[in-house]
Every structure is written in C-alpha cells, then in structure tokens.
C-alpha cells in the first residue's frame, strides 16, 4: 500500500488533502452532535415557574432554583404531586387506547389482504377447472386436427 518510491510532492499533496478531509469530517461530526443536543434539549420539559428547560429528575430548576417534583416525564411545583399522577394516568390511558386502535387497524388490513388472497386463489381454481373441463370436452374434436400418435 505504502510506496516509498513515490514522488515526494505527490505524497505531500495527498497528505494535505487527507488533513483537510479529516478536519472537515471533525467539523461535520461536531455540527451533528450540536444538532442532536439541541433537539434533545428542545424536547425537555419546561420549568413550571420560569419556563426554562429542565433535565429529567433534577430537584431544583437550574435557572430559577425553584424546587421541582416529578411524575415520570411530568414536572410540577411541590404540592402538585396528585395532579401530576392524575395527568400521568390520563396519558397512559390515551396511550393504550391509541395502541389498541393501531392494532385494530393493522388487524383489519391483514384480514383484508388475506381475503383478497383467498379470492384470487378461488378464482384461479375455478378458471383452471373450467379450462380442464372444456379441454376434455373438446379433446375428441381437437384430435381431428392433430397428427395421430396413438399406439392403439
Ligand atoms: Zn425555573
């Protein structure tokens, strides 16, 4: 792979290009990381007092030092624990309903595809049977036009 008899200028230019590529790659990766982090932060819940983004599970808002209470992904002020739990239960119920709905839709589509397949199979079988019947009925007439190869 490495050729010691290479033109030193060529080797130099190639090394420069490789360095540039490497630097560009690092830049792209850093940009991607920043973007991912920005998206992650955008999804974090807001402090109920000042609206700043809060990392999950922290005891105090990093921006206004407000004490916080958590119910899974829901954040609230101390004393709102009951309300948060209620909201959490509602969310869960909604989630299960949606999942049931999606499942029902998938099931219906599956059944429809199965029915279609069955119908196609039946249609094919009927056509095949009709063809076979006609062929056997017409065989004596067709034989007239075919060379006689019977051995009897
Ligand atoms: Zn705050």
């Amino acid at each position: 792979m490495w050729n010691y008899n290479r033109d030193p200028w060529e080797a130099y230019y190639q090394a420069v290009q490789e360095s540039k590529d490497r630097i560009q790659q690092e830049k792209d990766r850093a940009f991607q990381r920043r973007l991912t982090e920005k998206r992650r932060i955008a999804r974090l819940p807001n402090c109920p007092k000042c609206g700043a983004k809060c990392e999950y599970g922290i005891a105090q808002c990093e921006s206004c030092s407000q004490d916080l209470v958590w119910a899974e992904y829901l954040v609230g002020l101390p004393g709102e624990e009951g309300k948060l739990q209620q909201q959490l239960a509602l969310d869960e119920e909604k989630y299960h309903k949606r999942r049931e709905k999606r499942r029902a839709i998938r099931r219906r589509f599956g059944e429809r595809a199965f029915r279609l397949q069955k119908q196609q199979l039946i249609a094919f079988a009927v056509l095949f049977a009709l063809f076979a019947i006609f062929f056997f009925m017409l065989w004596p007439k067709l034989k007239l036009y075919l060379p006689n190869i019977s051995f009897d």
Side-chain angles (χ1 to χ4, degrees):
M1 198 174 91
W2 182 254
N3 185 357
Y4 288 100
N5 299 320
R6 222 155 45 152
D7 177 358
W9 275 106
E10 196 191 307
Y12 169 64
Y13 282 131
Q14 193 176 349
V16 167
Q17 191 54 51
E18 278 169 6
S19 291
K20 278 183 184 164
D21 289 349
R22 175 69 190 275
I23 288 163
Q24 189 56 49
Q25 252 177 32
E26 292 290 329
K27 271 187 191 164
D28 290 350
R29 235 173 269 157
F31 175 75
Q32 207 57 47
R33 267 201 301 274
R34 274 201 303 278
L35 201 70
T36 307
E37 178 64 3
K38 233 162 123 178
R39 284 189 188 139
R40 187 186 74 81
I41 287 169
R43 282 197 296 264
L44 288 175
N46 299 318
C47 167
K49 194 182 169 198
C50 72
K53 292 289 177 189
C54 293
E55 295 286 347
Y56 286 106
I58 55 170
Q60 273 192 340
C61 174
E62 284 167 346
S63 172
C64 68
S65 302
Q66 168 67 48
D67 285 328
L68 301 170
V69 292
W70 293 85
E72 304 295 341
Y73 51 86
L74 296 171
V75 64
L77 301 170
E80 294 182 334
E81 290 89 345
K83 205 181 85 184
L84 294 181
Q85 287 299 335
Q86 218 174 355
Q87 184 60 48
L88 200 66
L90 276 176
D91 284 1
E92 202 178 351
E93 204 180 313
K94 217 194 264 173
Y95 166 75
H96 281 298
K97 261 187 200 157
R98 272 194 191 150
R99 204 168 61 165
E100 265 320 301
K101 214 168 159 186
R102 273 200 302 272
R103 268 189 195 161
I105 288 168
R106 251 203 312 273
R107 218 171 17 236
R108 244 199 341 264
F109 269 99
E111 277 168 13
R112 193 181 295 169
F114 179 71
R115 261 206 313 276
L116 202 71
Q117 232 173 12
K118 219 166 64 179
Q119 280 167 359
Q120 280 171 346
L121 203 71
I122 289 168
F124 180 75
V126 167
L127 277 174
F128 185 79
L130 282 175
F131 177 76
I133 289 165
F134 277 120
F135 188 76
F136 279 111
M137 276 169 63
L138 291 173
W139 181 242
K141 291 196 176 75
L142 282 173
K143 246 161 97 171
L144 298 174
Y145 305 103
L146 293 171
N148 191 359
I149 50 161
S150 65
F151 298 102
D152 52 37

